[in-house]
Amino acid sequence: MIGPNAIKGIALACALAVGSACAGVKKTTTDLNPSMSRAPTCAAAIAVYNSRADVPYDYYELAWIEASGNSVWTTDNQLQQQIRNGAAKVGSNGIIVNPVEQSKSTVKILGEAIGTKSATQKASALAIYMPGDAARVRSACGAT
């Protein structure tokens, strides 16, 4: 038989889990080239590269973008979308991504259950502007 204290404990754990889900994805953008001001593009125009060697054009580095979220509630796609949105906002037409870092699953679940917010995953990327790729951006976003 479950006692009233056990029920309160379960209710508290559920409330903490639901409260953590509301936190969402946090994004930070660090400007790397303040002298280069670009008009915003759109997330659809952001080409994704896994390394500098994969970028087919010469490029300018615009910003470093980091996104993090609760790994119990946040998907890799949500993190990547926030990075793409941030890159578009600074006028980028490409990003060079780093792999998503995640906490171990036991740590994730236990950390969130007790409210330590240790269940995080992080993604980061370098937002770049490639002048030679302007036609693709116009096609993806319309006239920019």
Side-chain angles (χ1 to χ4, degrees):
M1 181 170 174
I2 298 176
N5 286 340
I7 293 173
K8 287 180 187 175
I10 292 169
L12 178 61
C14 290
L16 285 172
V18 170
S20 298
C22 297
V25 177
K26 295 180 183 175
K27 177 179 54 89
T28 58
T29 303
T30 305
D31 192 0
L32 299 177
N33 196 349
S35 65
M36 184 171 204
S37 179
R38 299 261 322 126
T41 58
C42 66
I46 306 300
V48 179
Y49 303 101
N50 291 319
S51 73
R52 292 175 186 268
D54 293 341
V55 180
Y57 302 99
D58 289 338
Y59 62 88
Y60 296 95
E61 296 179 354
L62 299 179
W64 182 253
I65 302 170
E66 296 176 296
S68 64
N70 176 307
S71 57
V72 174
W73 307 104
T74 306
T75 67
D76 289 358
N77 287 340
Q78 288 171 318
L79 292 176
Q80 292 168 1
Q81 188 60 46
Q82 285 299 312
I83 287 177
R84 290 170 71 102
N85 292 344
K89 189 173 181 179
V90 299
S92 172
N93 58 5
I95 54 175
I96 302 170
V97 297
N98 291 315
V100 174
E101 300 173 16
Q102 295 187 3
S103 303
K104 294 182 181 176
S105 41
T106 305
V107 172
K108 281 196 275 193
I109 295 166
L110 290 174
E112 284 307 312
I114 61 174
T116 63
K117 301 204 181 288
S118 61
T120 58
Q121 61 182 359
K122 298 176 184 177
S124 59
L126 177 64
I128 60 173
Y129 170 65
M130 303 169 286
D133 201 22
R136 184 188 59 79
V137 174
R138 279 191 299 278
S139 174
C141 300
T144 58

